[in-house]
Amino acid sequence: MRGIDSAVRTVAHVLAGILVVWIALDLLDANRGNTVVGWFHSAADWLAAWSIGLFSVSQNTFQVLLDYGIPAIVYVVIANLIASRTAARA
């Protein structure tokens, strides 16, 4: 079962990493016309679709952190819970 635990955590960290990269690109005003920036934006929007607009704040920086940071944290926490439960069964 050790392989499953590791795979679940790895996938969650990759997903969270995509979200964190998008947060950095957005806050640094990266060129959205760039292909790489566009890919991260599309992927982050898809991953965070359920949380965008969950909270509404007036400042763009905090809005981006909430919209994309919450799902990054949730994915990692859920993956760690799943991995620890599968490890406990082994």
Side-chain angles (χ1 to χ4, degrees):
M1 287 290 201
R2 181 76 178 131
I4 294 173
D5 305 345
S6 181
V8 168
R9 284 189 174 121
T10 300
V11 168
H13 284 94
V14 167
L15 297 179
I18 290 170
L19 291 164
V20 169
V21 168
W22 170 246
I23 291 169
L25 290 171
D26 187 67
L27 295 179
L28 294 171
D29 292 325
N31 177 10
R32 293 188 185 205
N34 180 284
T35 306
V36 175
V37 175
W39 183 88
F40 275 102
H41 186 202
S42 296
D45 277 349
W46 186 80
L47 291 169
W50 60 269
S51 70
I52 292 178
L54 190 62
F55 298 102
S56 197
V57 294
S58 60
Q59 193 175 18
N60 181 55
T61 301
F62 293 125
Q63 190 66 53
V64 169
L65 289 171
L66 287 172
D67 287 347
Y68 299 98
I70 289 172
I73 293 167
V74 168
Y75 292 146
V76 170
V77 168
I78 289 173
N80 284 327
L81 289 172
I82 292 170
S84 65
R85 293 208 183 225
T86 56
R89 289 184 190 162

